[in-house]
């Protein structure tokens, strides 16, 4: 009898190659840092990861070749950023998987403890708000029937009107979903991502509702932001601190 014939899934080798890219602590450190949505120089990432510039350059080359990062050069500087929102989602999903039950990594010192607390309170997840801030905004949108979560994430007609009235432009021509759920790795609940999440985050930073703090992607709600979020979504200031 002929032996049992098997057909190898052509995606298997590509999946293994992708997993191998992430399966390195230095490269994983870079990917997590780049979740702030900004472009970093190779030197900045080398210092952040605690490795030599030559070592970091080799790692960046692999990430760029693998399609997880894009790069551009300006003069002597080499800038890299995450390739796109799908890559950011992949990294964030991995991060959620390695913090089971919301368990946080024990900080080694007071500085790490403060940074971790700030990140949990409010941060950017690539181009949208995350942490308790992201969850508070998502919950408020849902409670006011501006966002639906019963059949996935979707803005209601009232929600679309709310964004327009708030002066937050939504790019309806984008290939990205208008609203998408993103699992928050500290809260273990979904927050708003997609076009709407990105637009809201951008507006919050541009309007001074939030400001970035420290060298990580933590953000802090300002007094202006507290007033705006209270007036527009009824979020109490205490939930933002």
């Amino acid at each position: 009898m002929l032996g049992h014939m098997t057909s190898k899934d052509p995606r298997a080798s590509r999946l293994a190659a992708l997993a191998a890219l992430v399966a390195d602590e230095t490269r994983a450190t870079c990917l997590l840092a780049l979740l702030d949505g900004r472009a970093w120089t190779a030197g900045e990432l080398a210092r952040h990861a605690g490795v030599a510039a030559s070592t970091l350059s080799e790692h960046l080359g692999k990430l760029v070749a693998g399609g997880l990062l894009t790069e551009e050069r300006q003069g002597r500087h080499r800038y890299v950023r995450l390739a796109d929102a799908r890559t950011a989602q992949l990294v964030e999903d991995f991060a959620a998987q390695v913090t089971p039950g919301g368990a946080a990594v024990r900080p080694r010192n007071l500085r790490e403890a403060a940074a971790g607390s700030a990140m949990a309170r409010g941060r950017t997840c690539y181009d949208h708000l995350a942490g308790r801030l992201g969850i508070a905004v998502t919950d408020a949108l849902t409670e006011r029937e501006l966002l639906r979560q019963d059949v996935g994430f979707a803005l209601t007609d009232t929600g679309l009107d709310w964004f327009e009235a708030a002066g937050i432009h939504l790019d309806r021509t984008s290939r990205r979903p208008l609203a998408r759920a993103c699992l928050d790795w500290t809260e273990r609940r979904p927050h708003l991502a997609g076009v709407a999440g990105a637009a809201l985050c951008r507006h919050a930073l541009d309007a001074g509702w939030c400001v970035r703090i420290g060298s990580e992607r933590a953000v802090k709600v300002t007094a202006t932001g507290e007033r705006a979020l209270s007036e527009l979504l009824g979020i109490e200031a205490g939930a933002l601190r």
Side-chain angles (χ1 to χ4, degrees):
M1 295 178 61
L2 294 175
H4 178 65
M5 301 293 292
T6 60
S7 177
K8 183 178 179 180
D9 192 323
R11 298 172 299 176
S13 61
R14 295 195 292 272
L15 180 58
L18 174 62
L21 276 177
V22 182
D24 177 274
E25 188 170 352
T26 297
R27 292 196 290 272
T29 297
C30 293
L31 291 171
L32 288 168
L34 290 166
L35 274 177
D36 67 0
R38 295 179 288 183
W40 288 50
T41 66
E44 289 170 338
L45 281 174
R47 289 190 293 274
H48 179 76
V51 298
S54 57
T55 300
L56 195 280
S57 181
E58 182 179 345
H59 285 299
L60 292 183
K62 292 179 179 180
L63 291 170
V64 171
L68 295 183
L69 300 185
T70 58
E71 67 175 338
E72 62 182 68
R73 293 184 181 273
Q74 291 186 8
R76 296 181 295 113
H77 295 293
R78 178 190 189 188
Y79 289 88
V80 294
R81 65 170 70 243
L82 294 180
D84 50 32
R86 290 179 61 189
T87 302
Q89 180 184 351
L90 175 69
V91 176
E92 188 76 7
D93 287 346
F94 271 134
Q97 289 298 319
V98 297
T99 52
V105 177
R106 184 183 296 276
R108 293 173 294 183
N109 49 51
L110 288 175
R111 182 178 179 181
E112 283 194 0
S117 177
M119 288 276 283
R121 182 172 58 249
R123 64 183 183 277
T124 54
C125 172
Y126 186 53
D127 62 359
H128 54 271
L129 298 173
R132 292 197 299 274
L133 169 60
I135 294 297
V137 170
T138 300
D139 285 349
L141 289 169
T142 304
E143 290 168 3
R144 282 157 181 72
E145 299 184 348
L146 308 176
L147 174 71
R148 294 184 59 181
Q149 296 191 39
D150 54 340
V151 288
F153 270 35
L155 292 181
T156 63
D157 289 340
T158 305
L160 292 173
D161 292 340
W162 180 88
F163 273 85
E164 182 178 353
I168 304 174
H169 173 69
L170 297 179
D171 183 4
R172 305 292 293 276
T173 65
S174 173
R175 297 176 63 181
R176 294 178 65 185
L178 192 59
R180 178 181 66 78
C182 180
L183 179 61
D184 197 294
W185 62 267
T186 53
E187 296 296 307
R188 303 296 293 179
R189 296 175 52 204
H191 56 242
L192 176 65
V195 170
L200 183 56
C201 178
R202 184 168 55 251
H203 185 83
L205 290 169
D206 291 346
W209 297 357
C210 299
V211 292
R212 295 187 184 276
I213 54 176
S215 59
E216 300 289 342
R217 47 198 175 100
V219 297
K220 177 182 179 180
V221 180
T222 64
T224 298
E226 289 182 355
R227 289 192 296 271
L229 291 173
S230 174
E231 293 172 1
L232 292 170
L233 290 172
I235 301 176
E236 296 183 1
L240 304 173
R241 298 172 180 171

